[in-house]
């Protein structure tokens, strides 16, 4: 079986959130063929029941078996070490067992991805407080994936988070950090590494020479040093170094307008193919404002494909059957597209 023909590993996410619901609905609708849920079978049955869906949950032993599962069924593999009694946990509550379960599923999916047994990983949302309550040292998916992607004795790969939809792609220099610390991470080295990762990764979605806009950190990109000098000391030198390597990087641009300039909309072709943003909210707010339904989170720099929906566990609606699987379906489609790029 070629890499592109292998199933996708769909991690369950936090069992107290909407992850199991959106997985169940998408699979029953046939929107994610050749995929297998890494999770708890009883949790998936509960997710079907809360939405009034009638479909069998088929427990498998190996991802290859997913190709023989009937349409509209929910294939599940329960990884070793999964906590017991997850389907009895209350909806919408932080629980250490839920955090441990989410991490367990991700680790199993990583092991398959490293072994080439799945085409990629699509992660349903986990809850960062539950992850911490379980004693996990990672604040989120991206950090866990980077740490676990390395083999014994290997250094963790340098990774970056990209949030993307059909209109805008943003890649972040830093992710889950207090803003004060995120500002300190804006160095020439970190910005240059982000530009390099974004440039290399763009070939996977068919843009081997992307036009990369780099946002400034300060208002008006520092206005020549009047509002801060990070652009002069760190960001501009990183752009110059990237350009010397043949990368089409430009900027730094004022962060309050660069995303509008890069947006590809009907009648408005964007000036850039992606934007490098300096910190979490600077880069994610513009994409999320365009609508979370089609937003996809992609981890760039991993030795395998990983995507996820552009939303969290939505504890406020968990168990109500109201969660929208659109972003999850978009994430699965993106994973297939990127895996095809890897196989070329």
């Amino acid at each position: 079986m070629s890499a592109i023909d292998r199933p996708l590993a769909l991690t369950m996410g936090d069992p107290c959130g909407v992850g199991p619901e959106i997985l169940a609905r998408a699979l029953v609708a046939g929107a994610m063929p050749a995929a297998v849920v890494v999770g708890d079978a009883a949790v998936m049955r509960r997710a079907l029941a809360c939405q009034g869906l009638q479909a069998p949950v088929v427990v498998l032993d190996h991802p290859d078996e997913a190709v023989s599962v009937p349409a509209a069924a929910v294939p599940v593999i329960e990884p070793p070490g999964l906590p017991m009694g997850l389907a009895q946990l209350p909806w919408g509550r932080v629980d250490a067992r839920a955090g441990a379960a989410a991490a367990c599923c991700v680790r199993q999916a990583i092991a398959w991805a490293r072994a080439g047994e799945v085409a990629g990983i699509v992660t349903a949302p986990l809850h960062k407080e539950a992850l911490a309550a379980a004693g996990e040292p990672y604040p989120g998916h991206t950090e866990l994936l980077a740490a676990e992607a390395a083999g014994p004795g290997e250094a963790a790969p340098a990774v970056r988070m990209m949030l993307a939809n059909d209109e805008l792609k943003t890649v972040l220099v830093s992710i889950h950090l207090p803003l004060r610390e995120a500002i300190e991470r804006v160095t020439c080295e970190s910005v240059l590494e982000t530009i390099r990762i974004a440039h290399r990764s763009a070939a996977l979605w068919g843009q081997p020479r992307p036009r990369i806009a780099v946002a400034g950190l300060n208002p008006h990109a520092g206005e020549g040093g009047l509002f801060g000098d990070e652009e002069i000391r760190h960001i501009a030198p990183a752009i110059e170094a990237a350009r010397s390597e043949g990368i089409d990087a430009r900027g730094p641009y004022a962060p309050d307008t660069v995303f509008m300039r890069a947006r590809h909309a009907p009648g408005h072709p964007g000036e850039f193919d992606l934007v490098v943003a300096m910190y979490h909210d600077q880069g994610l707010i513009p994409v999320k404002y365009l609508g979370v339904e089609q937003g996809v989170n992609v981890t760039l720099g991993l030795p395998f494909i990983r995507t996820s929906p552009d939303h969290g566990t939505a504890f406020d609606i968990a168990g109500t059957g109201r969660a929208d699987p659109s972003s999850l379906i978009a994430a699965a489609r993106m994973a297939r597209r990127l895996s095809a790029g890897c196989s070329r």
Side-chain angles (χ1 to χ4, degrees):
M1 185 182 295
S2 67
I4 193 171
D5 295 326
R6 293 189 179 109
L8 292 173
L10 314 173
T11 62
M12 174 180 68
D14 192 301
C16 301
V18 298
E21 292 173 65
I22 58 177
L23 285 167
R25 184 178 295 184
L27 286 164
V28 171
M32 294 192 296
V36 60
V37 176
V38 191
D40 184 275
V43 167
M44 295 309 298
R45 293 188 184 99
R46 179 172 78 158
L48 289 164
C50 81
Q51 299 175 94
L53 298 174
Q54 301 292 325
V57 174
V58 182
V59 180
L60 309 178
D61 295 318
H62 191 273
D64 282 350
E65 299 172 23
V67 297
S68 61
V69 173
V74 178
V76 178
I77 297 180
E78 298 182 319
L82 199 64
M84 303 292 289
L86 296 172
Q88 281 70 56
L89 297 178
W91 296 105
R93 302 281 183 85
V94 173
D95 193 288
R97 288 167 292 175
C104 177
C105 295
V106 173
R107 287 192 170 94
Q108 178 63 74
I110 291 170
W112 286 334
R114 282 182 51 83
E117 295 175 353
V118 294
I121 302 171
V122 181
T123 58
L126 53 70
H127 199 284
K128 294 175 177 59
E129 286 186 52
L131 205 64
E136 290 289 338
Y138 311 110
H141 267 126
T142 306
E143 296 84 356
L144 171 58
L145 286 154
E148 298 288 331
E154 297 176 357
V159 302
R160 292 295 187 271
M161 176 179 173
M162 179 177 77
L163 200 65
N165 57 31
D166 290 340
E167 299 182 39
L168 185 62
K169 295 180 175 67
T170 66
V171 182
L172 309 182
V173 171
S174 65
I175 311 174
H176 301 117
L177 295 172
L179 183 56
R180 192 181 306 276
E181 187 176 344
I183 293 170
E184 294 171 356
R185 294 287 185 93
V186 178
T187 65
C188 181
E189 293 76 15
S190 63
V191 174
L192 177 57
E193 186 170 51
T194 306
I195 295 170
R196 287 169 172 161
I197 292 171
H199 174 78
R200 289 196 303 268
S201 301
L204 295 178
W205 59 83
Q207 292 178 322
R209 186 170 170 74
R211 300 167 298 166
I212 300 174
V214 181
L217 172 68
N218 298 296
H220 304 280
E223 197 75 80
L226 292 175
F227 306 141
D229 64 357
E230 285 84 1
E231 288 79 9
I232 296 170
R233 292 189 298 116
H234 301 298
I235 302 174
I239 295 169
E240 183 178 354
R243 291 186 66 83
S244 72
E245 298 174 8
I247 298 173
D248 186 4
R250 314 174 200 179
Y253 294 113
D256 61 347
T257 57
V258 67
F259 300 99
M260 293 185 289
R261 294 174 62 183
R263 181 186 178 191
H264 293 262
H268 180 272
E271 296 179 45
F272 311 107
D273 298 308
L274 58 89
V275 179
V276 168
M278 293 299 112
Y279 58 92
H280 185 279
D281 285 11
Q282 183 192 63
L284 298 197
I285 289 173
V287 183
K288 289 177 180 284
Y289 181 77
L290 294 175
V292 299
E293 296 83 4
Q294 295 302 318
V296 178
N297 178 353
V298 184
T299 305
L300 306 181
L302 290 170
F304 48 79
I305 301 302
R306 179 266 175 165
T307 67
S308 74
D310 174 24
H311 60 75
T313 50
F315 274 180
D316 57 324
I317 62 169
T320 67
R322 291 159 44 202
D324 185 347
S326 297
S327 184
L328 175 74
I329 294 168
R333 289 174 178 162
M334 175 69 84
R336 282 294 179 197
R337 181 179 176 188
L338 297 178
S339 66
C342 281
S343 67
R344 286 198 294 264

